[in-house]
Amino acid sequence: LAPSRISRLKFSSNLVHQRLKGRKRFYKEATVREDESGEWEILLDNRVLKTPARNKLSFKEKTLAELIAAEWDFQTEAKGIEPATMPLMSLTSTSIDQIEADRSTTIGKMAKFLDTDTICFMAPP
């Protein structure tokens, strides 16, 4: 994708989260179903949930779809929708909308930090 398209995706994703925060819960239930390709998708009142950039959000594992549906179910009428309480939704959406959109650039940026990443340090024998 062109850099301008990637910037719009990131900007779009951030705007969606800003618009959702505190918004009244607009659905009654979050459920999962298997789609025609055998992947699992999340439904909010029988409407398929998509990423903030409107990409398909589906999973090979039913458990992950159920966990994200539970994050949506956890949202209350009193507080409204709180994106900060939906870490799996945030991680998967970011992965689909931003990382997959420009995978090589993301890998290049992450590789710069490998020598300082604590998970890469070796313990003495």
CSV table of all heavy atoms in Angstrom, one decimal, residues 13 25 40 48 98 103:
chain,number,residue,atom,x,y,z
A,13,SER,N,-8.3,4.3,12.3
A,13,SER,CA,-8.4,3.5,13.4
A,13,SER,C,-8.4,4.3,14.7
A,13,SER,O,-9.2,4.0,15.6
A,13,SER,CB,-7.2,2.5,13.4
A,13,SER,OG,-7.2,1.7,14.5
A,25,ARG,N,-23.7,1.7,24.8
A,25,ARG,CA,-23.7,0.4,24.2
A,25,ARG,C,-24.9,0.3,23.2
A,25,ARG,O,-26.1,0.5,23.6
A,25,ARG,CB,-23.9,-0.7,25.3
A,25,ARG,CG,-23.8,-2.1,24.8
A,25,ARG,CD,-23.8,-3.1,25.9
A,25,ARG,NE,-24.1,-4.4,25.4
A,25,ARG,CZ,-23.7,-5.5,26.0
A,25,ARG,NH1,-23.0,-5.5,27.1
A,25,ARG,NH2,-24.1,-6.6,25.4
A,40,TRP,N,-14.2,-18.1,12.3
A,40,TRP,CA,-15.2,-17.7,13.3
A,40,TRP,C,-15.2,-16.2,13.2
A,40,TRP,O,-14.2,-15.5,13.2
A,40,TRP,CB,-14.8,-18.2,14.7
A,40,TRP,CG,-14.9,-19.7,14.7
A,40,TRP,CD1,-13.9,-20.6,14.4
A,40,TRP,CD2,-16.1,-20.4,15.0
A,40,TRP,NE1,-14.4,-21.8,14.6
A,40,TRP,CE2,-15.8,-21.8,14.9
A,40,TRP,CE3,-17.4,-20.0,15.4
A,40,TRP,CZ2,-16.7,-22.8,15.2
A,40,TRP,CZ3,-18.3,-21.0,15.6
A,40,TRP,CH2,-17.9,-22.4,15.5
A,48,VAL,N,-22.2,-8.5,11.6
A,48,VAL,CA,-20.8,-8.9,11.6
A,48,VAL,C,-19.9,-7.7,12.1
A,48,VAL,O,-20.0,-6.7,11.5
A,48,VAL,CB,-20.3,-9.5,10.3
A,48,VAL,CG1,-18.8,-9.8,10.3
A,48,VAL,CG2,-21.1,-10.7,9.9
A,98,GLN,N,-3.2,-2.3,10.4
A,98,GLN,CA,-1.9,-1.6,10.3
A,98,GLN,C,-0.7,-2.5,9.9
A,98,GLN,O,0.0,-2.2,9.0
A,98,GLN,CB,-1.6,-0.8,11.6
A,98,GLN,CG,-2.7,0.2,11.8
A,98,GLN,CD,-2.4,1.0,13.1
A,98,GLN,OE1,-1.3,1.0,13.7
A,98,GLN,NE2,-3.5,1.6,13.6
A,103,ARG,N,3.4,-4.8,6.1
A,103,ARG,CA,4.2,-5.8,6.9
A,103,ARG,C,5.7,-5.5,6.9
A,103,ARG,O,6.3,-5.5,7.9
A,103,ARG,CB,3.8,-7.2,6.5
A,103,ARG,CG,4.4,-8.2,7.3
A,103,ARG,CD,3.9,-9.6,6.8
A,103,ARG,NE,4.5,-10.7,7.6
A,103,ARG,CZ,3.9,-11.2,8.7
A,103,ARG,NH1,2.8,-10.7,9.1
A,103,ARG,NH2,4.5,-12.1,9.3
